[in-house]
Amino acid sequence: MPEFTVFKGSKERKILKSTTTKEVGDDDVLIKVTHSGLCGTDEHHKGMDMVLGHEGAGTVEQVGASVKTLQKGDSVGWGYQQNSCGHCKQCLTGRETLCPSRELYGSANFDQGSFATYAIWKADYVFKIPDSIPREFAAPLMCGGATSYGCLRTAGVKSTDRVGIIGIGGVGHLAIQFAAKMGCQVVVFSGTDSKKDEAKRLGASEFIATKNVEKLETAPIDHLIVTTSFQPDWKQYLPIMAPGGTILPLTVSGDDLRMPYMPLVLNELKVQGSLVAARQVHREMLEFAAFHGITPTIETFPMTVEGIEEGMKKLADGKMRYRGVVVVE
């Protein structure tokens, strides 16, 4: 039975080094972790007694007896969802992220995570990484990439659409790249001009600084993706939405969603929730990223207590450009 090092959260919100052990089941794979992304969701769970990290990348070390899709040595990754029942309506229609029995990061499998030297997961929820994507760049795609690409697919974005993206952070800078490579006009909204050049480099066709601006001036937006850590001033954005447009809030927030009511009715606007990508969409995301050369902008930290603490502090302080990656050395 494999035993390996893991890094856990704690009630005091300190990172603790520990060990865990688990049998490799018939439908499991043992993965030697090489890289893990740092995600805002890790910060939310830092106060829990659980192994942290859900943007994992590594190599397959061992496969269970029933596994046919992976073999030892494969470069693989995994993300936010870890398992589902496999037989409900949602699972059978490719929407397993909505399975009533779904196993998600932070609600199941507390002894496994990507802040570790190894991990054991169901093979059906492990993804082969294309050869052209190094694992340090693949790790952040496992959640950040799946979230940004997945919401574009959920909204049914077309190449003729104008896509607005609020925020240029860990998710926003990936959403810009995906939408631009889909052929969309991409309008980026940020507080100041400080990230204008970077947004343009990533593929933005238009950049609008919003701080102290009473009225935003731009052509109508078909899909508005909210990636900031706080809700925007909806009164500022609803007037620029195209009739029938879609608002996709990706912000993780415990606050109520509050926005003006009548603009939604009069313009038939939609507010569309979007979780991470289902497995087939996740596979498409990796293939799309590989083909178009989409990579996250990363900063690296060692897979140690000190390295993880440093990375998580930088993330919490809003100073990460743009995804942190913890590296097993």
Side-chain angles (χ1 to χ4, degrees):
M1 184 184 298
E3 181 177 286
F4 44 91
T5 300
V6 295
F7 296 89
K8 306 171 69 175
S10 65
K11 193 186 303 182
E12 297 78 22
R13 299 188 62 79
K14 293 182 178 179
I15 301 297
L16 302 177
K17 185 178 180 179
S18 184
T19 58
T20 191
T21 185
K22 184 178 179 180
E23 290 280 5
V24 179
D26 286 349
D27 55 354
D28 293 337
V29 290
L30 172 66
I31 301 167
K32 184 176 182 180
V33 179
T34 60
H35 300 84
S36 172
L38 281 166
C39 181
T41 310
D42 299 322
E43 179 67 25
H44 296 311
H45 294 310
K46 195 178 178 185
M48 295 177 62
D49 179 20
M50 60 173 281
V51 183
L52 296 174
H54 62 287
E55 292 185 328
T59 56
V60 174
E61 190 85 355
Q62 180 183 338
V63 299
S66 301
V67 176
K68 307 298 183 187
T69 56
L70 298 168
Q71 60 186 5
K72 184 175 180 178
D74 282 347
S75 183
V76 297
W78 75 91
Y80 188 71
Q81 185 167 12
Q82 302 157 359
N83 202 3
S84 66
C85 76
H87 53 74
C88 69
K89 178 180 178 180
Q90 286 72 31
C91 287
L92 294 176
T93 54
R95 306 186 74 196
E96 65 272 10
T97 53
L98 304 179
C99 170
S101 302
R102 63 191 180 185
E103 295 178 10
L104 304 177
Y105 176 65
S107 63
N109 304 306
F110 299 120
D111 63 333
Q112 301 292 307
S114 56
F115 293 0
T117 53
Y118 287 86
I120 297 171
W121 295 113
K122 299 296 180 187
D124 286 347
Y125 281 84
V126 173
F127 304 92
K128 283 186 179 180
I129 296 171
D131 292 340
S132 62
I133 305 180
R135 283 191 293 275
E136 62 264 34
F137 295 114
L141 295 177
M142 295 299 150
C143 182
T147 299
S148 52
Y149 181 87
C151 83
L152 293 165
R153 287 277 270 100
T154 296
V157 169
K158 305 185 299 295
S159 61
T160 52
D161 288 339
R162 282 173 58 82
V163 176
I165 297 171
I166 306 177
I168 313 171
V171 173
H173 90 289
L174 288 168
I176 294 168
Q177 295 181 73
F178 281 121
K181 292 300 185 182
M182 287 178 178
C184 302
Q185 294 181 46
V186 181
V187 184
V188 174
F189 301 91
S190 189
T192 69
D193 282 328
S194 65
K195 297 179 180 178
K196 181 176 180 177
D197 291 343
E198 196 146 22
K200 292 279 190 171
R201 178 183 62 79
L202 291 168
S205 46
E206 189 177 338
F207 183 95
I208 298 175
T210 60
K211 191 174 182 179
N212 300 322
V213 175
E214 189 172 331
K215 184 180 180 183
L216 299 177
E217 300 285 351
T218 187
I221 300 295
D222 297 296
H223 306 282
L224 183 66
I225 302 172
V226 183
T227 73
T228 49
S229 59
F230 53 87
Q231 292 187 44
D233 179 358
W234 295 113
K235 292 180 181 178
Q236 195 178 28
Y237 286 95
L238 293 187
I240 62 171
M241 292 299 298
T246 307
I247 297 167
L248 296 120
L250 302 184
T251 303
V252 177
S253 172
D255 298 331
D256 292 340
L257 177 65
R258 290 180 174 273
M259 61 174 59
Y261 179 79
M262 287 309 296
L264 297 181
V265 175
L266 295 175
N267 294 297
E268 296 190 1
L269 301 179
K270 300 179 286 293
V271 179
Q272 172 70 59
S274 181
L275 197 57
V276 292
R279 285 172 292 177
Q280 179 54 33
V281 178
H282 193 123
R283 292 190 186 103
E284 290 174 13
M285 177 273 297
L286 289 171
E287 292 168 1
F288 190 92
F291 183 79
H292 290 284
I294 294 172
T295 56
T297 301
I298 65 171
E299 296 185 45
T300 59
F301 306 87
M303 184 79 80
T304 61
V305 169
E306 296 76 17
I308 294 169
E309 290 280 18
E310 180 188 356
M312 294 191 78
K313 184 178 188 308
K314 194 164 191 178
L315 178 63
D317 290 344
K319 296 179 180 179
M320 191 77 76
R321 289 289 183 100
Y322 284 108
R323 301 295 291 194
V325 175
V326 185
V327 183
V328 179
E329 297 177 333

